[in-house]
Amino acid sequence: MNALILKDAVIRYDRLTAVDGVSLELRRGETLGLVGESGCGKSSVARAIVGLQPLAAGTLTIEGETLQDAPARRRTDLQRRIQLLFQDPAASLSPRMTVRSLLAEPLKIQKSHSPEAWTRIVALAESIGLGQQLLSRYPHQLSGGQARRVALVRALAAEPSIIVADEPTAGLDISIQGELLNLLRTLRGRLGLSYLLISHNLNVVGRVTDRVAVMYLGQIVESGPTADLFRNSAHPYTRALLSANLTLDAGRRRERIVLSGELPSPSNPPSGCRFHKRCPLAQPRCTREIPVLQGRPGERSFACHFPLRSEPAPAPQAIAG
Amino acid sequence: MTEALLTIENLNVSYRGNGRSAHILDGVDIKIGRGQSVGLVGESGSGKSTVAFTLLGLLADNAEVSAGYAAFDGRTRNFAARETASLRGTDIAMVFQDPMTALNPMFTIGTQLVDIQRRRFPRESRKALWARAEAVLADVGVQDAAARMHRYPHEFSGGMRQRVVIAMALLVEPKLLIADEPTTALDATIEAQVVEVLHRLRQRTSASMLVVSHSMGLIAELCDSVVVMYGGTVVESGKVADVLHRPRHPYTQALLACEIDPYAAFDPSQDLATIPGNVPDPARRPQGCIFADRCPARHDRCRERPPQRHARDGQNYSCWLEVA
C-alpha cells in the first residue's frame, strides 16, 4: 500500500519548468530519500506535495485518494495528512512566541483546539524530551536540538501520516544529528508515519532511507533501494554524485569522478539526455535521444542509454536485527 | 618536523561585557610547519573560528587576547592590532565561508582582484596586476577568465564565486592561507571540484594552509595533521591518519563514532551514535576537564585539569586516561 503517489508531476514558475515529469511512490511506513544538487527541483517537489505549490500537470494521490479528483473540502483534509518539517527551526519558529503558543498554534489554525488535543500535544512533546518546564521559553532560549523538536511537534499536531522533511539535519552538529534521526525513526514506528526525506547529506540518506530517488535538472534519473543504489548505481550522474561525497576512507577517495561544469539552467535544458554535457561517458546518441526512465517501478529504475554495469560488489546485507 | 611557520602557545581569548566575562579560548597550542596543511576541527562553539580570527586580528573590540608565546615566520609576535593588520592580506590570507558576502556586489571581479593586490604590490601598474589576476583566475579553474574579469559577483555561480575568493587569497602570495569552511556552502559535486583546486594548489605553492571546518571528511582530504578542539581547548592533535585511526581522547573517539559511513553494513534497528549533553557555557567553564560532563569514561580525577600526554608517534592529547 502506498502512502503517497506523485505521478508525472510538472511544476512551472512562469515559463521556467523546474520539475518536468517526476513520479514518486512513497510506501506506507518507509523513508524515501530524494537527493540532488541545488536547483534540481527537489524542494519544488516537496512544496508541491505539501500543497504549497500547484502542479502544472500530474496527479498527487494520498492514501488511495487522488487529490485532483477530490472535492475542495476533502482536499484540505487530505492535504492535512501531509506535513512539512521545515529546514531551519530558527527561521520557522516565531521569536515572539513561547513554546506553549508555538505548540498550540497549529491546533488553532485547524480549529481543533480542545483540552484533549492539548493534553495529547503536551504528552507528545514530553515523550520526545520537551518537558513542561520548556513551555514558557522563547525560541532563542532553546538549544538547536530542542528547537527542532518543537518544529517536529508542530508538524505532528495535525496527526499526519506523511512527513516531508526538507534538510532536517542541515546546520546540526554531527554529535547531535544522530539524536534527531533516531527520534524520527522511533516516531515513524510509534505513530505509523512515512517520510519523504530531502537532503544533500548522502551519509544520512544512505543510513536512514529505505529507498532513494536521484534528481537532476527537474527529472528523476535513477531510483531504487538505498543499499543497492549506493553500491551499484547505473546512472553516471548517481555514481559521480556519490563519489563526490567527502569520506574518511582514503581508498574510496581514489575512485572519485569529478564532474566538469555545473548544473545547466533549467530554463534551457540541454537536448537529448539532460546530463550529457557533464557526463564523462556521453556518446553522440546522448545529445539527440532523450533516455526514458526504465526498470521496475519502485525497484531499480534509471534513465540512461549507456548504464554502468554493476560491479560484483559485496552483497548489501544488513545485519539481521 | 619541518621548521615552523607559525607557533602559538597557550593562547587565551575572552570577552568582557555587562560585568561578565566569557572565556572562549583556553590555553590553545597550535603549530604549523612551512608548506604544511593543518586542519582545525570542532563543532559549533569549539572556538575554531576564533583561532582563525585571532590570527587575522578580526576579533571584536572587547576581546582580550593573550598568548604565552607566538611566532610567525621566524619572528615573535603579539596579537596587537598593528601587528595583525600588517600580516593580514599580505602574509596571511583568508578564504571565507560564504563567497557571496565576501565579494562586493558593486564592483567587477577584475577590479576586486586587482585591488586586493595593491597593498602587496604597491608599485605595480594596474595593467600588470590585471594580467596577474587573470592568470590566477584561470589557474583556479575559471574558464574564459579574460571575459569573466569584467563580470559582477551575481553573474557567478556559488562554485565559481568560491574560486574567485580562492584566487583573491592566492594573489597576495601569502605564507599562510586560512580557509574557513571553504566548501560548506557548496553542493557535493562542486565541493569535489573546489577540493581538487585546493589539492592542486597545495602541490604547487609553498604556502602553509590552515583549514577550519566541522567536517572531518574535508580535513581528511586536505590536511597532513589535525587539531581537534572542544569548548575552547585543544583536546587532541596529531597526524590525520593517526588521529582518524587511533583517536586517543574520548571526545575524538565519540565524534568519529558519530560519522556515518553509508557503505558499512548496519543494523537498521540500531540507534545512531550521539554525544549526549551540551557544549559547556563559556561564561561558566568547568574547573577540570572540559569534556567531563559528557564523557563516557569520566571519573573523580576529571574534576582536575587533565595533563598533556604525548604519544610516541607525535600525537598529543589532554586526558587523565592512560593509553591502553
Side-chain angles (χ1 to χ4, degrees):
Chain A
M1 175 69 179
N2 286 312
L4 179 144
I5 300 170
L6 184 69
K7 204 163 186 315
D8 302 324
V10 176
I11 299 170
R12 290 203 184 94
Y13 301 101
D14 293 326
R15 264 179 294 169
L16 183 142
T17 305
V19 173
D20 194 4
V22 163
S23 299
L24 286 174
E25 280 181 23
L26 175 62
R27 294 173 192 165
R28 191 167 279 180
E30 83 167 347
T31 302
L32 173 66
L34 189 58
V35 300
E37 294 172 274
S38 322
C40 74
K42 57 188 195 299
S43 287
S44 292
V45 168
R47 290 170 59 83
I49 288 175
V50 296
L52 290 173
Q53 177 67 43
L55 292 178
T59 57
L60 179 63
T61 306
I62 301 164
E63 291 174 333
E65 278 186 72
T66 300
L67 201 69
Q68 280 72 14
D69 301 339
R73 278 195 64 178
R74 182 70 190 143
R75 271 193 216 185
T76 319
D77 289 345
L78 283 175
Q79 201 68 72
R80 201 165 276 174
R81 310 291 299 150
I82 309 176
Q83 292 294 323
L84 177 64
L85 185 60
F86 282 99
Q87 178 171 158
D88 182 358
S92 68
L93 301 178
S94 166
R96 304 178 63 127
M97 289 167 79
T98 59
V99 171
R100 184 190 307 277
S101 31
L102 284 166
L103 294 182
E105 194 185 26
L107 295 176
K108 285 184 185 142
I109 291 168
Q110 294 152 23
K111 301 191 176 60
S112 57
H113 201 38
S114 66
E116 297 78 52
W118 178 245
T119 312
R120 180 174 60 80
I121 296 290
V122 173
L124 178 65
E126 192 127 30
S127 76
I128 63 170
L130 291 171
Q132 301 251 9
Q133 76 280 3
L134 292 175
L135 289 179
S136 52
R137 293 209 191 157
Y138 287 90
H140 74 272
Q141 295 167 309
L142 302 174
S143 71
Q146 285 169 338
R148 267 163 225 257
R149 281 158 205 256
V150 171
L152 187 57
V153 176
R154 274 161 63 87
L156 293 171
E159 303 190 284
S161 56
I162 299 161
I163 293 279
V164 176
D166 192 359
E167 301 282 4
T169 60
L172 276 185
D173 272 321
I174 191 165
S175 70
I176 50 173
Q177 80 171 12
E179 228 171 90
L180 183 82
L181 294 170
N182 292 337
L183 178 63
L184 286 174
R185 202 201 60 212
T186 312
L187 289 173
R188 185 177 80 170
R190 206 173 86 198
L191 305 174
L193 299 167
S194 316
Y195 294 130
L196 177 65
L197 178 83
I198 295 168
S199 181
H200 67 263
N201 186 330
L202 294 168
N203 293 342
V204 167
V205 170
R207 178 67 166 75
V208 307
T209 64
D210 303 301
R211 289 186 306 129
V212 64
V214 183
M215 277 187 83
Y216 185 78
L217 213 59
Q219 294 178 334
I220 292 195
V221 295
E222 183 162 12
S223 71
T226 305
D228 187 34
L229 188 127
F230 267 65
R231 286 168 180 80
N232 308 308
S233 39
H235 199 287
Y237 176 66
T238 310
R239 189 152 303 182
L241 185 68
L242 293 174
S243 80
N245 198 18
L246 297 182
T247 170
L248 300 182
D249 181 344
R252 206 170 294 131
R253 222 173 285 153
R254 280 192 289 275
E255 298 158 19
R256 176 160 301 153
I257 306 162
V258 176
L259 291 177
S260 60
E262 296 173 18
L263 201 66
S265 163
S267 58
N268 183 23
S271 64
C273 173
R274 292 185 169 200
F275 183 56
H276 83 256
K277 286 196 171 150
R278 297 174 78 193
C279 184
L281 307 170
Q283 309 264 343
R285 182 180 164 200
C286 305
T287 65
R288 295 187 308 265
E289 276 176 60
I290 297 173
V292 185
L293 200 65
Q294 49 190 306
R296 285 167 296 166
E299 296 302 319
R300 286 304 298 274
S301 59
F302 49 84
C304 181
H305 294 308
F306 304 99
L308 296 155
R309 255 183 305 174
S310 50
E311 291 144 19
Q317 283 298 311
I319 300 163
Chain B
M1 180 77 188
T2 50
E3 189 204 343
L5 173 72
L6 173 83
T7 311
I8 300 178
E9 283 165 18
N10 197 17
L11 176 66
N12 291 281
V13 172
S14 55
Y15 287 101
R16 220 173 267 282
N18 295 334
R20 291 183 305 165
S21 125
H23 221 64
I24 307 297
L25 293 184
D26 185 17
V28 169
D29 297 343
I30 284 183
K31 197 168 184 177
I32 304 175
R34 284 184 198 274
Q36 206 198 6
S37 169
V38 174
L40 201 53
V41 74
E43 300 181 278
S44 343
S46 62
K48 57 188 189 304
S49 294
T50 306
V51 171
F53 284 2
T54 307
L55 295 177
L56 289 162
L58 294 178
L59 295 176
D61 288 341
N62 61 339
E64 286 172 18
V65 184
S66 74
Y69 173 75
F72 181 82
D73 200 17
R75 282 184 51 200
T76 55
R77 301 276 174 174
N78 61 48
F79 292 98
R82 205 185 321 146
E83 287 232 353
T84 49
S86 73
L87 293 175
R88 188 167 65 225
T90 51
D91 283 336
I92 303 181
M94 178 134 169
V95 175
F96 288 93
Q97 180 172 159
D98 182 352
M100 193 64 222
T101 52
L103 295 169
N104 188 329
M106 302 294 285
F107 295 98
T108 62
I109 294 298
T111 303
Q112 298 187 53
L113 289 177
V114 165
D115 286 352
I116 197 83
Q117 305 174 66
R118 298 273 191 203
R119 277 189 66 213
R120 184 68 163 184
F121 307 105
R123 283 159 209 284
E124 294 276 348
S125 69
R126 179 176 170 86
K127 210 173 152 189
L129 295 179
W130 187 278
R132 273 192 85 227
E134 198 180 300
V136 172
L137 196 59
D139 216 39
V140 295
V142 174
Q143 279 162 15
D144 204 9
R148 293 288 205 137
M149 290 283 281
H150 297 281
R151 303 269 169 202
Y152 288 87
H154 76 269
E155 299 176 274
F156 286 70
S157 66
M160 282 298 148
R161 263 182 233 140
Q162 196 57 288
R163 286 167 209 250
V164 171
V165 175
I166 293 171
M168 225 169 191
L170 292 174
L171 275 168
V172 301
E173 295 179 355
K175 296 193 171 91
L176 176 63
L177 179 72
I178 303 178
D180 186 9
E181 303 279 8
T183 61
T184 303
L186 305 175
D187 272 315
T189 61
I190 309 301
E191 178 175 43
Q193 292 174 0
V194 171
V195 165
E196 206 185 49
V197 167
L198 290 171
H199 254 306
R200 230 168 355 104
L201 290 174
R202 280 220 55 208
Q203 285 155 6
R204 290 236 316 275
T205 71
S206 56
S208 307
M209 224 158 74
L210 180 66
V211 182
V212 180
S213 181
H214 70 283
S215 159
M216 205 58 112
L218 182 72
I219 303 274
E221 303 243 358
L222 286 178
C223 300
D224 312 311
S225 60
V226 60
V227 175
V228 184
M229 289 191 68
Y230 178 78
T233 62
V234 174
V235 294
E236 180 158 6
S237 64
K239 292 200 192 75
V240 167
D242 295 340
V243 172
L244 284 184
H245 295 124
R246 222 147 44 109
R248 296 252 173 54
H249 194 282
Y251 173 67
T252 319
Q253 291 168 358
L255 191 67
L256 287 170
C258 291
E259 292 278 346
I260 301 172
D261 179 358
Y263 295 92
F266 62 90
D267 173 356
S269 65
Q270 188 89 51
D271 270 346
L272 288 162
T274 63
I275 307 179
N278 291 308
V279 181
D281 181 350
R284 280 187 293 270
R285 294 173 64 85
Q287 289 289 307
C289 171
I290 188 79
F291 186 57
D293 277 353
R294 299 169 81 183
C295 184
R298 173 188 53 231
H299 55 108
D300 290 346
R301 203 74 200 268
C302 302
R303 278 198 294 266
E304 294 164 49
R305 208 182 167 90
Q308 276 290 337
R309 295 186 186 275
H310 308 280
R312 214 178 306 151
D313 49 14
Q315 207 165 325
N316 299 318
Y317 64 106
S318 158
C319 185
W320 281 109
L321 291 178
E322 296 273 1
V323 180

